[in-house]
Amino acid sequence: MAIIERPAPTVPAIVTPTTTYGSLKRPVSATGWRSWVFTVDHKKLGIMYGATAMFFFIIGGVEALLIRLQLAAPNGKVLNADLYNQMFTMHATTMVFLFVMPMAAGFANYFVPLQIGARDVAFPRLNAFGFWALLFGGIFLNLAWFLGGAADGGWFMYAPNSGPVFSPSNGVDFWALGLQIAGIASLTGAINLIITVLNMRAPGMSLMKMPIFTWMITVVQFLLLFAIPVITVALFLLSFQRNFGARFFDVAAGADPLLWQHLFWIFGHPEVYVLILPSFGIVSEVLPVFSRKPLFGYPFVVFSGAAIGFVGWGVWAHHMFASGLGPVSVAVFSLTTMAIAVPTGVKIINWTLTMWGGKLWFTTAMKFAIGLIVLFTVGGLSGVTHAVAPSDTQQTDTYYIVAHFHYVLFGGAVLGIFSGFYYWWPKVFGKMLNEKLGSWNFWLMVIGLNLTFGPMHILGLQGQPRRMYQWTEARAGEGFFNLAFWNLIASIGSFVLAVGILMFLINVLITARNPQKAPLDPWNARSLEWMTTNPPKEHNFDVVPTVHHLDDFFHQKYEEDPVTHTMKQVRTAEEIMAEQERNADKHIHMPSPSYWPIVLAFGLPVITFGLIYSHLISVIGGVIVLFAAYGWALESSTAPDSDFETNTPGTGLDKVASNHD
Amino acid sequence: MSRRQFDIRLSVTIASVRIVLRRVFRPLIIVGGISALSASCATNAPQDTWQPKGPNSKLIDDLQQPVFAVAGIIGLIVAVAVIYTMLKYRDRGQPIPEQTHGKPALEITLTIIPALILAVVSVFTFGAIFKLAKTDDTEMIINVTGQQWWWEYDYPVQNDFGITQPIISSGQLVMPVGTKVLLRETSRDVIHSYWIPALNGKRDAVPGRIQTLRLEADEPGIYAGQCSEFCGLSHANMRMEAVALSKEDFAKWVANQQAPYVAPAKDTLAKQGEEVFLNQCVRCHQVNGLTRADGTPAIAAPDENVWSGAAPNLSHLMSRNTFAGAMFNLLSKQCRDEVWNASSDVVGAKYLAGVTEQCLNQKDLRAWLRNAPEVKPMYANPADLAVSDGKYRGMPYLALSEDDINKLVAYLITLK
Amino acid sequence: MTINTADKTHEQQHGMSNAGYIRIAVILAAITGLEVSTYYVDFGVLFLPALLIMMVIKFVMVVSYFMHLKFDNKMFSFLFYAGLVLAVGVYAAFLATFKFFIQ
Amino acid sequence: MTDTAQGHASSTGISNVKLGMWAFLGSECLLFGGLISTYMLYRGRVTGGPRPSQIFDIPFTSVSSFVLLMSSLTMVLAVSAAHKDDDRKTNLWLTVTALLGATFVGGQVYEFTAFYKEGLGFSTSLFGSSFYTLTGFHGVHVTVGIIMLMSLVGILKRSSVPGKKAEVVEMIGLYWHFVDIVWIIIFTLVYLIPV
Ligand code: HEA
Ligand code: HEA
Ligand code: CUA
Ligand SMILES: [Cu+2]
């Protein structure tokens, strides 16, 4: 989108591209699919991230259901060993890299600029590129299913089992290269959001007035910025070994398989905080809104988030307690791992204290947020039992670990994401999700998840290892703790869970058909993203807000009664909006759509495809990338004035444009 | 608030807490409560991690039980606090509350308490880590090698235990009771992990490294275990058992393992089986003392045929109860149960009886010989062996006739 | 494409003169000479520390002067040194687990 | 690749692109850190083929290291000229920088061929794999730098660079210096410190 002319904000200016960059003219901002494919608008990209993530969530979920079907009874026959191994590898890869991370990226893309009062991100085209790279990387990863079998080494792909002899199909190649592409996407996204937060905040919004969601996203982006290159190295080593005969994990040449484990988990542990912190951010927004109180101990929550991010770098070897690190390393990493429970505890405590003394409104969003507090704690506490290294040697690689990480991932990250859906749906789509169905959605999910993952504690402590395509009655035991019963319960639970998630999808469909529009400020919210229309205008805010408080929007609506210390409403959201419209900025200058991000992103899977099949294809991919980079470099982010039909003389447009070029 | 009101409020609160607990948190409670109970419960799965049977696992258990308890209590506190808050502060039309931003003193206190708890836990953790890493009090060494998808045990010469020549075995680790055994683990292909829950935690068997694991059993018995690092197709079928024998029984076992080869009598089915074995099997499997017709010793060369460079040594196959990575029993179900459920004073004798003809699990053994990759997933399809230089991973399909299988079974049963 | 002149002078104030850059380059060249000399001359026990110190000096000089980090906004330094310090810390610990802590 | 949102000016007055470049370089520290650590772990593991000390040619590498170091000087002179709006000098120094960089890469290609002839292939040993991967990654970075420098010269001649010209030169400069400091580390750790 190019220029929005005041006072007619709904009619976008039409761009007539006259200048050719490289070889293509700039796309015309139209309606229809082109307005999505070539968009650089952070909100559209946010929605596309969300839709992509949801799509992969269902794929990963169906893979999970197949896993549970196979394990429901002894000697399962639904999948064979080979297929089962592909299934859990791709289930985890899909859920982690193609569901939770992109979903968080979607939320971040959509709401960070809105929360800090910006009109877009720092690098809009890079943003678009990141999305397309992620989508193409995800598709590329899953292509392997149709080309001889997907990756089968488990999501942490330990060497040397990932080597060419032990995993001869191309699955691991697709996996390594696909993650490499997704990694590029995350890295560009991280740089983009960091710069956006550091550099594009509205006047008056100091770091300590930033909404907590934005804070947590910022911490996450720093984690990604520094963790992605580590997995990049690991994946390169693996690809070089598989495709070019390097020896990195070849024990016969003297290689040490622990090299891979270290590199993977140096990335992998920060990665798990990448998965959880966005959800921590979401519930830290939701809980105050529905408690009608500010977040308790905001600075503590901010610093604990940063502390989790920082300490998270020093704990990676807790995934290797049984690998044979030697007692000194084990002791050190055991200690640092326990230390992480402290800042995480700070969050749990502060959320509870946020609700304490509040006026609690149990919307679906709130229910999911509260669900997160309790269920994440369950997962976190089992995490602490792993941190005690000697007991971890009994637990590691059993279902007890599977229970741990599904409680933190599903009970934590996913519940947080669902809380965000219900909370922000009216903001993004201008319609309220149905609360009644939401309630069903919540309860079925919570019951389902406890039924699915709760029994896994028992299974694990009873000695059932993970990643077994079959279990046998011979080792199932008898009595109350017999594995057969609890495996069956877990499998039943997973279908309850699926029905719960189905409720959400139904809710979305129903909501889409419901003509009723959402009110402007349905939750009586607190932060800046609510200080605009639903959905927000292309340029987000008519006036770039000036910030005075944490929760500035709330404080514009309410004032404290000096005597009773209760809050009195002084203005409504509608009044605030009306005032904004009256004072709307003239000549808002938005970045223009571009072909190059998607073209550049498309070149990447072509290159990697060629690495597996024929280097000639790689050359073609390289040409595409160079061609796109060239066009990108020559194209300015915003179309020049001559491209605008509505460029009437005397509007001052010329000045705006050249200032920014 | 009057006393009565308060009482009513309290009972209502408690009742609602109960309802919520019952509805939502029942699974949690079940898990938590049951976990606590299970320490005392018997009849669990054979790999239960809460039933230590040796000093190393007891050390772990003594450490972890209080940790589980602390974690459970903290979890309960959080759950109760959240539910209580939910009930107490639900919207009853009260005014929008004061916008309190926090109470630093309270926050700091609530930060320090968990830190202190964890400091205490870590002290005990440290002690246990170093105790479990000790190697200087070892009494007996057994080398353990993992490969896809079974374990090989190699007892180096240790005269104290009557081991005067190396013993090579697979599937079941036989060890003397009350002895500090040190496993020296490695792997021939990918990473595996050795784990007998009743005796100790896991230790990965990493190719290119030799790593140690302490094992010691208090009582004679059979303890189940399972490879617990993902190692490819048949990871699920890579099991093991540790057999702890009294010192006398162990000595008998050692003597048997070192007993010379007894060739089957002429003109028996078994003798014909030996012939088939010499034709088909010795290229991979070693039977110590077995000679060819011309009197030369038959030396297996598995590294030419198997990627990991080994196949189980079958010299005393019938002295063990299981085969193919403990995936199958060599004993029929009934005989097996008799050994497994034997009390600790007779289990040794029962175990040393080995596999008799009546007790042999013919069905699984025959199925194995008929087509091993069909009953245990292995990379043994000749069409797919290019990547492994034509070598199998696991035992291939050998296209044996039923006749040959009969002969082989008759022969194998003689390998006491 | 007009160039914002205000910005230009801003950069200039904090930069260095060309002569200054050449001085830095000369020092860098001299240190490199010294480094290479360790290959020919025996430094004894000082060998490793001397080499590492010289490496760090060169590194910091290029970053501070050629890359202007010394004169620029602290935010740049934060972004870069955060990565650098993290990298050194994490990878040193990683190598240490292989070298020093094994049983 | 300058790309700034035009919504409103940055809140700090700092250039987005420059901030982004520094963030990227911070991230690159972990990339090269990983490659260097892998090399440090594996440099002594030679089961076949030559050992490092048998093939390294310190005088030769010293010269090419010196060339790369000096390219940092010429780069900084280009940036300085760009800030003074002196297009002729900017182009001159950029070209010289690219040439010095190309000399370095040429030296590396020569070195690789020499090592290969002496029996060190990519698959020969762990030392070989990790040596070529580390120095190869660095070489690719230099090559990308050269391409950017040359394109910049071309674009500057046509005067169609979007955004602030001096800033673009400066960005490429930052990247170039980074590649240089990585080599400062590699030169010491890989070449000068014997296994
Ligand atoms: C969202 C992702 C997420 C999160 C947030 C965490 C959080 C934690 N994790 Fe988890 N973890 C995973 C995802 C995550 N983990 C995954 C995916 C794996 C498996 C990977 C694989 O093998 O495939 C794993 C595995 C894993 C292991 C390795 C297990 C093994 O394989 O042997 C360990 C070991 O220490 C561990 C520990 C912890 C700890 C201590 C925390 C802590 O951060 C938790 C802190 C939280 C609390 C403790 C609760 C709240 C605190 C209080 C109420 C205060 C009071 C508490 C105390 C005094 C104890 N995790
Ligand atoms: C964010 C991460 C995430 C999420 C959300 C999940 C979600 C689920 N996981 Fe996942 N899981 C992992 C991350 C995750 N998992 C990881 C990292 C591993 C380790 C892998 C490894 O060892 O390498 C793992 C491993 C793992 C295992 C162990 C496999 C093994 O070790 O052998 C199991 C087994 O039960 C399992 C089950 C499930 C189930 C039932 C869900 C459910 O919650 C899924 C619910 C979702 C749906 C069900 C989809 C939506 C459904 C519908 C829309 C219904 C309509 C459609 C139909 C019914 C057809 N997972
Ligand atoms: Cu061997 Cu798993
Ligand atoms: Cu971790």
Side-chain angles (χ1 to χ4, degrees):
Chain A
M1 185 45 45
I3 279 187
I4 298 189
E5 268 288 72
R6 284 275 145 201
T10 42
V11 185
I14 295 165
V15 182
T16 326
T18 51
T19 333
T20 309
Y21 303 102
S23 56
L24 295 176
K25 284 183 181 165
R26 189 190 290 282
V28 180
S29 56
T31 49
W33 62 272
R34 281 193 201 83
S35 71
W36 289 89
V37 172
F38 304 122
T39 188
V40 296
D41 177 2
H42 74 97
K43 295 182 290 302
K44 282 188 172 157
L45 288 165
I47 293 172
M48 291 198 283
Y49 263 116
T52 304
M54 206 62 210
F55 170 71
F56 282 121
F57 180 43
I58 292 173
I59 293 190
V62 170
E63 283 160 358
L65 293 179
L66 286 171
I67 291 176
R68 281 316 323 167
L69 270 182
Q70 166 82 356
L71 297 179
N75 308 317
K77 294 274 183 312
V78 179
L79 306 167
N80 63 28
D82 190 21
L83 211 52
Y84 183 86
N85 295 345
Q86 299 173 32
M87 210 53 80
F88 70 71
T89 304
M90 291 303 285
H91 158 67
T93 306
T94 305
M95 287 297 195
V96 168
F97 295 101
L98 305 178
F99 163 51
V100 177
M101 281 174 78
M103 192 57 89
F107 277 115
N109 247 296
Y110 202 102
F111 294 109
V112 165
L114 284 166
Q115 286 203 323
I116 63 174
R119 290 210 163 110
D120 208 321
V121 291
F123 308 106
R125 282 181 299 175
L126 205 58
N127 202 16
F129 166 76
F131 166 71
W132 292 111
L134 171 94
L135 179 62
F136 295 149
I139 293 173
F140 181 80
L141 248 168
N142 278 285
L143 269 187
W145 284 114
F146 311 103
L147 296 169
D152 57 1
W155 86 286
F156 45 71
M157 208 50 77
Y158 274 3
N161 194 37
S162 56
V165 175
F166 301 109
S167 186
S169 81
N170 282 327
V172 177
D173 300 320
F174 276 97
W175 182 86
L177 296 167
L179 286 187
Q180 205 73 279
I181 298 174
I184 295 173
S186 294
L187 189 66
T188 55
I191 292 177
N192 204 345
L193 285 168
I194 289 173
I195 309 311
T196 305
V197 168
L198 289 182
N199 232 8
M200 316 250 318
R201 277 166 285 134
M205 179 167 284
S206 63
L207 288 178
M208 292 312 280
K209 290 201 184 100
M210 243 161 46
I212 195 83
F213 173 73
T214 297
W215 250 115
M216 291 306 110
I217 291 296
T218 309
V219 173
V220 166
Q221 303 313 316
F222 271 102
L223 289 176
L224 285 172
L225 182 71
F226 297 136
I228 294 287
V230 185
I231 188 77
T232 304
V233 171
L235 293 173
F236 269 124
L237 301 186
L238 178 61
S239 288
F240 286 176
Q241 167 153 30
R242 291 182 61 94
N243 303 333
F244 305 120
R247 307 295 289 274
F248 295 109
F249 307 111
D250 182 350
V251 177
D256 194 328
L258 262 53
L259 170 65
W260 170 271
Q261 300 190 10
H262 279 289
L263 289 178
F264 186 89
W265 291 120
I266 289 175
F267 153 80
H269 192 84
E271 167 72 14
V272 307
Y273 293 113
V274 167
L275 301 173
I276 195 67
L277 287 179
S279 289
F280 280 5
I282 292 173
V283 300
S284 303
E285 297 286 330
V286 168
L287 288 166
V289 166
F290 298 105
S291 305
R292 275 68 169 258
K293 267 180 74 204
L295 185 64
F296 194 87
Y298 169 88
F300 282 84
V301 180
V302 168
F303 286 125
S304 67
I308 291 172
F310 184 72
V311 183
W313 283 93
V315 305
W316 75 85
H318 65 212
H319 297 275
M320 303 162 64
F321 281 153
S323 297
L325 294 170
V328 179
S329 305
V330 168
V332 170
F333 282 102
S334 190
L335 186 71
T336 52
T337 304
M338 287 183 209
I340 258 194
V342 175
T344 317
V346 169
K347 293 199 176 268
I348 303 283
I349 289 162
N350 281 284
W351 290 330
T352 313
L353 289 175
T354 301
M355 301 201 312
W356 185 266
K359 175 179 158 69
L360 306 183
W361 179 12
F362 296 111
T363 59
T364 307
M366 182 68 163
K367 285 181 199 153
F368 274 110
I370 296 172
L372 178 143
I373 302 181
V374 176
L375 296 175
F376 174 81
T377 302
V378 175
L381 291 168
S382 59
V384 172
T385 65
H386 310 326
V388 178
S391 21
D392 184 63
T393 61
Q394 288 285 22
Q395 299 158 1
T396 184
D397 281 311
T398 68
Y399 267 79
Y400 188 71
I401 304 294
V402 180
H404 158 66
F405 64 70
H406 281 98
Y407 266 88
V408 284
L409 282 168
F410 208 101
V414 178
L415 289 194
I417 285 169
F418 273 75
S419 177
F421 288 157
Y422 281 88
Y423 177 55
W424 276 319
W425 204 268
K427 172 89 312 187
V428 176
F429 298 106
K431 290 183 184 173
M432 308 281 288
L433 282 171
N434 184 313
E435 282 287 311
K436 192 154 202 174
L437 263 173
S439 199
W440 278 96
N441 180 190
F442 170 75
W443 287 111
L444 281 171
M445 255 169 87
V446 164
I447 292 169
L449 107 84
N450 283 300
L451 279 181
T452 311
F453 305 122
M456 291 185 187
H457 291 109
I458 298 178
L459 292 173
L461 292 174
Q462 288 295 309
Q464 179 172 320
R466 59 195 283 203
R467 299 175 162 183
M468 296 213 302
Y469 76 103
Q470 282 179 342
W471 52 272
T472 152
E473 248 164 324
R475 298 279 166 100
E478 295 143 8
F480 189 69
F481 296 120
N482 78 84
L483 304 183
F485 177 68
W486 294 108
N487 268 308
L488 184 63
I489 296 288
S491 296
I492 294 172
S494 67
F495 282 86
V496 177
L497 194 48
V499 174
I501 293 161
L502 209 58
M503 291 296 148
F504 174 74
L505 299 181
I506 294 172
N507 203 345
V508 169
L509 287 182
I510 290 182
T511 305
R513 286 154 164 267
N514 180 355
Q516 200 183 342
K517 289 251 182 313
L520 189 60
D521 181 18
W523 313 124
N524 198 358
R526 311 177 69 89
S527 42
L528 283 189
E529 78 270 26
W530 293 98
M531 215 163 85
T532 177
T533 48
N534 297 336
K537 299 166 182 167
E538 197 107 39
H539 54 281
N540 292 355
F541 300 99
D542 287 340
V543 192
V544 169
T546 303
V547 176
H548 304 284
H549 298 96
L550 179 67
D551 294 340
D552 203 69
F553 183 45
F554 183 81
H555 287 283
Q556 296 204 18
K557 293 184 290 186
Y558 288 88
E559 268 169 19
E560 198 183 62
D561 183 321
V563 188
T564 61
H565 291 295
T566 51
M567 303 303 289
K568 263 206 327 257
Q569 183 150 23
V570 289
R571 287 201 296 175
T572 65
E574 283 77 8
E575 285 162 11
I576 297 172
M577 289 304 302
E579 188 187 318
Q580 278 197 31
E581 298 230 331
R582 278 197 300 282
N583 303 331
D585 289 348
K586 299 252 158 56
H587 316 308
I588 298 163
H589 207 156
M590 297 303 292
S592 313
S594 171
Y595 291 122
W596 304 118
I598 185 171
V599 177
L600 187 61
F602 181 72
L604 300 177
V606 178
I607 295 181
T608 52
F609 196 80
L611 286 179
I612 299 176
Y613 289 105
S614 153
H615 291 192
L616 191 70
I617 303 175
S618 291
V619 175
I620 298 172
V623 170
I624 297 177
V625 166
L626 279 179
F627 169 75
Y630 180 66
W632 184 319
L634 291 184
E635 182 189 79
S636 65
S637 176
T638 309
D641 313 337
S642 54
D643 283 5
F644 293 100
E645 236 175 49
T646 50
N647 181 14
T648 38
T651 54
L653 266 178
D654 320 61
K655 226 187 288 157
V656 180
S658 52
N659 258 348
H660 285 284
D661 262 343
Chain B
M1 199 193 305
S2 78
R3 183 66 212 255
R4 224 177 79 81
Q5 267 177 314
F6 177 77
D7 279 347
I8 293 174
R9 173 90 46 92
L10 191 70
S11 57
V12 168
T13 311
I14 290 172
S16 351
V17 169
R18 273 223 198 97
I19 290 168
V20 176
L21 282 181
R22 222 177 283 144
R23 261 215 241 129
V24 194
F25 296 101
R26 178 177 278 179
L28 291 183
I29 302 295
I30 291 178
V31 172
I34 285 160
S35 305
L37 267 174
S38 95
S40 52
C41 275
T43 67
N44 293 331
Q47 282 165 210
D48 186 359
T49 60
W50 282 20
Q51 291 195 70
K53 291 283 161 46
N56 297 300
S57 48
K58 283 214 177 87
L59 185 69
I60 295 176
D61 203 53
D62 291 344
L63 176 67
Q64 72 178 358
Q65 293 306 339
V67 175
F68 278 115
V70 171
I73 292 168
I74 294 176
L76 221 61
I77 293 176
V78 171
V80 169
V82 168
I83 293 166
Y84 180 74
T85 315
M86 281 166 67
L87 297 172
K88 182 155 189 237
Y89 293 104
R90 68 176 186 272
D91 190 346
R92 295 197 210 80
Q94 70 262 47
I96 291 194
E98 185 185 357
Q99 303 291 298
T100 42
H101 282 274
K103 296 200 181 64
L106 177 66
E107 311 249 322
I108 291 170
T109 319
L110 288 177
T111 311
I112 288 176
I113 293 173
L116 288 178
I117 297 175
L118 290 168
V120 175
V121 172
S122 66
V123 170
F124 291 103
T125 304
F126 276 28
I129 290 172
F130 286 97
K131 272 189 211 146
L132 287 165
K134 258 169 70 166
T135 54
D136 51 8
D137 54 356
T138 303
E139 291 166 336
M140 180 181 192
I141 287 179
I142 304 174
N143 295 318
V144 178
T145 309
Q147 53 232 293
Q148 288 179 326
W149 289 271
W150 57 286
W151 294 94
E152 182 172 278
Y153 304 105
D154 162 5
Y155 297 69
V157 170
Q158 286 164 96
N159 292 318
D160 293 353
F161 294 95
I163 306 173
T164 51
Q165 65 196 63
I167 298 172
I168 296 176
S169 162
S170 67
Q172 285 178 318
L173 170 82
V174 182
M175 59 190 261
V177 76
T179 308
K180 293 189 171 52
V181 176
L182 192 71
L183 301 188
R184 300 173 79 244
E185 295 179 27
T186 189
S187 162
R188 293 202 177 98
D189 37 46
V190 302
I191 303 177
H192 305 269
S193 192
Y194 201 84
W195 185 37
I196 307 281
L199 302 184
N200 200 345
K202 305 171 185 70
R203 172 65 19 101
D204 287 1
V206 181
R209 288 181 160 226
I210 293 174
Q211 313 200 128
T212 57
L213 178 68
R214 296 160 63 90
L215 284 191
E216 182 178 350
D218 288 339
E219 278 178 18
I222 303 182
Y223 305 105
Q226 162 83 43
C227 171
S228 46
E229 186 65 81
F230 178 65
C231 53
L233 271 190
S234 257
H235 162 64
N237 300 321
M238 184 166 171
R239 304 198 190 107
M240 56 276 204
E241 285 162 15
V243 182
L245 299 178
S246 67
K247 296 219 161 96
E248 306 78 66
D249 285 343
F250 183 73
K252 286 187 204 151
W253 180 82
V254 168
N256 182 51
Q257 296 295 310
Q258 296 178 342
Y261 179 67
V262 187
K266 276 212 170 71
D267 297 329
T268 55
L269 198 62
K271 189 70 190 173
Q272 293 174 338
E274 188 189 47
E275 234 164 76
V276 180
F277 194 87
L278 280 166
N279 282 334
Q280 291 277 5
C281 317
V282 284
R283 62 192 169 108
C284 297
H285 290 287
Q286 179 71 31
V287 171
N288 301 345
L290 173 63
T291 52
R292 295 179 193 282
D294 60 4
T296 51
I299 306 290
D303 31 340
E304 286 163 21
N305 306 297
V306 183
W307 175 264
S308 309
N313 184 312
L314 300 182
S315 306
H316 301 278
L317 178 65
M318 293 298 152
S319 74
R320 35 194 197 248
N321 293 171
T322 64
F323 71 101
M327 181 180 179
F328 302 107
N329 289 306
L330 265 181
L331 290 172
S332 63
K333 171 124 180 51
Q334 194 190 353
C335 298
R336 171 191 175 275
D337 286 349
E338 240 172 79
V339 185
W340 267 78
N341 300 336
S343 62
S344 61
D345 44 334
V346 294
V347 66
K350 298 224 172 194
Y351 181 74
L352 287 178
V355 183
T356 58
E357 199 139 9
Q358 305 76 43
C359 274
L360 179 65
N361 172 4
Q362 296 245 0
K363 183 170 151 280
D364 285 339
L365 185 58
R366 281 166 185 275
W368 177 258
L369 298 178
R370 205 169 289 129
N371 190 349
E374 193 181 271
V375 289
K376 179 172 185 175
M378 296 183 279
Y379 287 103
N381 180 353
D384 297 338
L385 299 182
V387 280
S388 55
D389 303 331
K391 295 177 184 179
Y392 299 99
R393 286 191 283 142
M395 175 160 149
Y397 167 61
L398 293 165
L400 299 174
S401 67
E402 284 306 310
D403 202 31
D404 282 347
I405 293 175
N406 286 337
K407 294 174 186 164
L408 276 170
V409 171
Y411 171 64
L412 291 177
I413 195 80
T414 69
L415 299 173
K416 298 286 187 198
Chain C
M1 316 296 151
T2 51
I3 288 167
N4 192 325
T5 41
D7 240 299
K8 192 177 71 187
T9 48
H10 171 82
E11 299 278 355
Q12 291 256 295
Q13 276 165 5
H14 298 283
M16 283 176 88
S17 65
N18 284 354
Y21 289 134
I22 292 170
R23 260 201 306 279
I24 301 286
V26 170
I27 298 173
L28 286 171
I31 299 178
T32 309
L34 212 58
E35 280 180 338
V36 176
S37 75
T38 62
Y39 184 68
Y40 301 97
V41 186
D42 189 1
F43 273 53
V45 286
L46 283 180
F47 173 74
L48 200 62
L51 263 185
L52 292 178
I53 290 169
M54 288 190 284
M55 174 181 95
V56 172
I57 294 175
K58 280 169 73 182
F59 187 98
V60 172
M61 278 179 78
V62 174
V63 175
S64 308
Y65 297 103
F66 286 178
M67 296 168 90
H68 278 151
L69 213 46
K70 194 163 175 237
F71 315 108
D72 262 347
N73 192 295
K74 288 284 160 286
M75 208 125 74
F76 300 131
S77 301
F78 170 74
L79 284 174
F80 182 66
Y81 281 116
L84 183 69
V85 169
L86 198 62
V88 172
V90 164
Y91 289 123
F94 152 79
L95 285 174
T97 58
F98 284 97
K99 301 245 146 121
F100 308 121
F101 295 155
I102 25 184
Q103 298 177 337
Chain D
M1 289 196 214
T2 56
D3 204 348
T4 46
Q6 319 291 305
H8 62 84
S10 73
S11 56
T12 51
I14 304 172
S15 141
N16 280 343
V17 188
K18 195 163 165 188
L19 211 49
M21 179 53 90
W22 276 110
F24 173 68
L25 297 182
S27 165
E28 289 268 285
C29 288
L30 281 116
L31 182 93
F32 278 105
L35 294 167
I36 291 170
S37 308
T38 303
Y39 177 80
M40 294 309 276
L41 183 68
Y42 278 165
R43 61 192 188 143
R45 303 198 185 184
V46 181
T47 44
R51 302 185 60 78
S53 54
Q54 291 167 319
I55 49 171
F56 283 167
D57 180 352
I58 300 296
F60 179 85
T61 313
S62 303
V63 172
S64 57
S65 305
F66 183 75
V67 168
L68 192 63
L69 195 63
M70 286 307 114
S71 77
S72 261
L73 174 63
T74 57
M75 185 71 232
V76 91
L77 293 176
V79 175
S80 165
H83 279 308
K84 289 184 194 126
D85 237 346
D86 184 342
D87 278 6
R88 201 184 58 81
K89 273 204 178 143
T90 310
N91 280 343
L92 173 74
W93 287 123
L94 286 178
T95 313
V96 174
T97 308
L99 283 177
L100 289 174
T103 313
F104 173 85
V105 173
Q108 212 170 25
V109 170
Y110 167 79
E111 191 186 59
F112 281 10
T113 16
F115 289 176
Y116 189 76
K117 285 207 194 98
E118 289 180 63
L120 187 73
F122 190 51
S123 318
T124 307
S125 61
L126 285 168
F127 160 60
S129 294
S130 46
F131 172 80
Y132 284 120
T133 303
L134 171 58
T135 51
F137 256 88
H138 180 265
V140 168
H141 273 73
V142 180
T143 311
V144 169
I146 295 169
I147 294 174
M148 293 200 301
L149 288 169
M150 296 317 294
S151 324
L152 186 58
V153 171
I155 294 172
L156 282 180
K157 287 224 163 99
R158 288 172 47 201
S159 190
S160 58
V161 51
K164 293 179 217 133
K165 198 190 306 182
E167 184 167 75
V168 177
V169 179
E170 202 184 333
M171 283 319 96
I172 295 179
L174 288 179
Y175 175 86
W176 190 262
H177 295 307
F178 179 78
V179 170
D180 185 27
I181 56 178
V182 169
W183 188 258
I184 288 176
I185 294 175
I186 293 179
F187 181 55
T188 304
L189 293 186
V190 175
Y191 288 89
L192 292 180
I193 297 178
V195 176

